[in-house]
Amino acid sequence: MTPAARYQAAIEILDDILAGTPAEKALTGWARRSRFAGSKDRAAVRDHVFDVLRQKQSCAALGGKSGRGLILGLIRAEGRAPDTVFVGGDYGPAPLTEEECLAGDASDVLDLPEWIVPHLQAALGEAFAPTERALRSRAPVMLRVNLAKSTCTDALRALADEGITAQPVEGSETALVVSEGARRVKLGRAYMDGLVELQDGSSQDAVAALAGLTPQRVLDYCAGGGGKSLALAALCDARIDAHDANPGRMADLPDRMARAGTDLRRLTTEDLATQPPYDLVICDVPCSGSGTWRRTPDMKWRFSPEMLAELLATQDAILDAAATHVAPGGHLAYMTCSLLCEENEERAESFVQRHKGFEPVDQRRWPVSPKGDGFFMAQFKRVS
């Protein structure tokens, strides 16, 4: 595909998304209809679509609200000449009309849904503006060095042998940021042999803090794919059980364990009911994902006040259930990848009010940054 043809494909996909199709479904549908597109073409088209979704309001102000207008706005936002893309022909976007040649102004535009702006301003204070700008850009590709199998130096060497360039993150024993060759990571020996795993830097930092508790028995109550369980297993000698209300979310965990050289138990809700209490229970709860909207920009525009209200009730219910599995003297860790006070500090405070046998021991936010996503963790200790 020519560069212009890739932009035309992105226009068609964006029109599909604007009509209500989720971004991933729209991209998959296009790929299935476009067997002629190679892997580089699909990657480039995906990048164009997600670059627009991260800054949809700005692109609309600069070009228009249709798929074509959004791509025009993206090109202007990137400082490129639109007439190098809107070239017409059989596969490229048609040349610009006289009206389209008039550029708009995006200097005062916020790339967020209007309803959520006051929530984020209240939560972030002076950090609101830099966070809003950061959410317009691509997220870093982060790796976790599996210390059970490798060292940072050896992992970097193995990645370099495969043409992948990465740098250590200051202050972290395990985090690497990939600067070149990110799309080759999952195909390389370092990943396949379990020397590294894809994991955001903020999550790694949070797990490292929990490893400092030196737990002996751990329950990952909302395990999902098991990333935090695997990270903790590489940092401490603990018996770790992984549970999820939807066991299907843990389907990939056996393969990930095999790569990592780690043995975890997967427990159903029925299995969990027979287990003795744990000295650490981790709750990485469903949330808005607002701290990860660089990675899932479509969700930013689909999220609603009604969805937030449902999530808050779910988060409280999960914490209440998880608390029953904490042993006396044990710890409960509540995690989100949200930026909102409603999902973070307010849920932590509400939990303590409902459960007098727990006291807060630590609370921390991680900002959206070049080193990781926005993240929150509160720790509680069971004192009675």
Side-chain angles (χ1 to χ4, degrees):
M1 298 175 67
T2 65
R6 291 172 174 175
Y7 279 111
Q8 179 58 37
I11 288 171
E12 295 167 8
I13 294 167
L14 286 165
D15 282 333
D16 195 8
I17 294 170
L18 292 171
T21 303
E24 291 294 348
K25 184 176 181 180
L27 284 160
T28 300
W30 171 79
R32 288 174 177 169
R33 297 189 302 271
S34 309
R35 301 294 184 183
F36 57 85
S39 59
K40 291 183 179 179
D41 295 321
R42 293 194 297 273
V45 170
R46 181 184 181 86
D47 284 346
H48 294 333
V49 169
F50 275 71
D51 284 345
V52 164
L53 292 176
R54 290 185 189 97
Q55 48 191 324
K56 187 173 74 169
Q57 303 286 62
S58 294
C59 291
L62 291 170
K65 295 182 178 181
S66 66
R68 176 180 170 89
L70 291 171
I71 287 296
L72 172 58
L74 175 67
I75 292 167
R76 284 176 171 148
E78 294 174 341
R80 300 179 55 197
D83 57 9
T84 63
V85 172
F86 290 79
V87 294
D90 293 334
Y91 303 108
L96 297 180
T97 65
E98 185 174 338
E99 183 180 2
E100 288 175 326
C101 288
L102 303 174
D105 179 12
S107 57
D108 295 324
V109 172
L110 294 177
D111 281 301
L112 292 165
E114 184 176 353
W115 75 268
I116 208 169
V117 169
H119 295 264
L120 288 173
Q121 288 174 329
L124 299 172
E126 293 182 356
F128 170 77
T131 300
E132 188 271 337
R133 289 193 296 270
L135 289 174
R136 302 182 189 187
S137 61
R138 297 180 188 180
V141 176
M142 306 286 298
L143 300 176
R144 173 179 58 81
V145 177
N146 179 12
L147 298 181
K149 279 193 168 184
S150 185
T151 65
C152 185
T153 299
D154 290 343
L156 286 169
R157 185 180 300 115
L159 290 166
D161 288 344
E162 295 154 1
I164 301 166
T165 303
Q167 292 80 35
V169 174
E170 184 178 358
S172 173
E173 188 180 9
T174 59
L176 305 176
V177 180
V178 178
S179 55
E180 293 183 26
R183 290 193 169 97
R184 292 194 290 273
V185 168
K186 284 193 172 183
L187 303 175
R189 182 184 67 81
Y191 177 83
M192 297 301 294
D193 290 352
L195 307 185
V196 296
E197 179 67 78
L198 286 161
Q199 188 172 42
D200 181 67
S202 301
S203 295
Q204 293 185 51
D205 203 7
V207 171
L210 295 180
L213 299 173
T214 62
Q216 296 303 304
R217 296 187 69 253
V218 178
L219 171 63
D220 190 351
Y221 189 75
C222 307
K228 292 177 178 63
S229 292
L230 294 170
L232 188 61
L235 295 176
C236 65
D237 183 18
R239 170 76 263 179
I240 301 176
D241 292 343
H243 163 272
D244 200 284
N246 180 355
R249 297 191 187 107
M250 299 190 291
D252 293 337
L253 189 50
D255 288 341
R256 297 182 75 183
M257 286 191 291
R259 284 201 310 272
T262 298
D263 181 27
L264 308 176
R265 289 196 306 177
R266 289 182 297 166
L267 301 182
T268 65
T269 300
E270 291 74 19
D271 295 332
L272 183 57
T274 68
Q275 299 300 309
Y278 295 82
D279 48 36
L280 172 61
V281 177
I282 302 171
C283 288
D284 185 6
V285 300
C287 70
S288 64
S290 46
T292 67
W293 278 348
R294 293 181 296 184
R295 303 180 191 276
T296 58
D298 188 36
M299 188 60 197
K300 173 166 63 172
W301 307 108
R302 293 179 175 277
F303 194 56
S304 68
E306 293 75 20
M307 293 171 69
L308 176 58
E310 291 177 5
L311 281 169
L312 301 184
T314 297
Q315 291 157 0
D316 285 345
I318 289 174
L319 271 173
D320 291 345
T324 66
H325 298 285
V326 181
H331 289 80
L332 175 63
Y334 173 74
M335 301 177 177
T336 79
C337 51
S338 172
L339 301 173
L340 301 172
C341 285
E342 291 91 335
E343 296 184 275
N344 296 337
E345 291 86 355
E346 290 183 18
R347 298 280 58 74
E349 176 62 25
S350 178
F351 174 77
V352 172
Q353 292 299 319
R354 295 194 309 275
H355 296 269
K356 302 303 183 181
F358 285 81
E359 63 179 22
V361 293
D362 192 28
Q363 190 168 280
R364 180 179 170 187
R365 278 178 174 262
W366 284 260
V368 179
S369 75
K371 299 180 181 180
D373 294 331
F375 200 79
F376 173 85
M377 182 170 70
Q379 294 181 50
F380 314 94
K381 183 175 182 178
R382 183 174 178 182
V383 294
S384 65

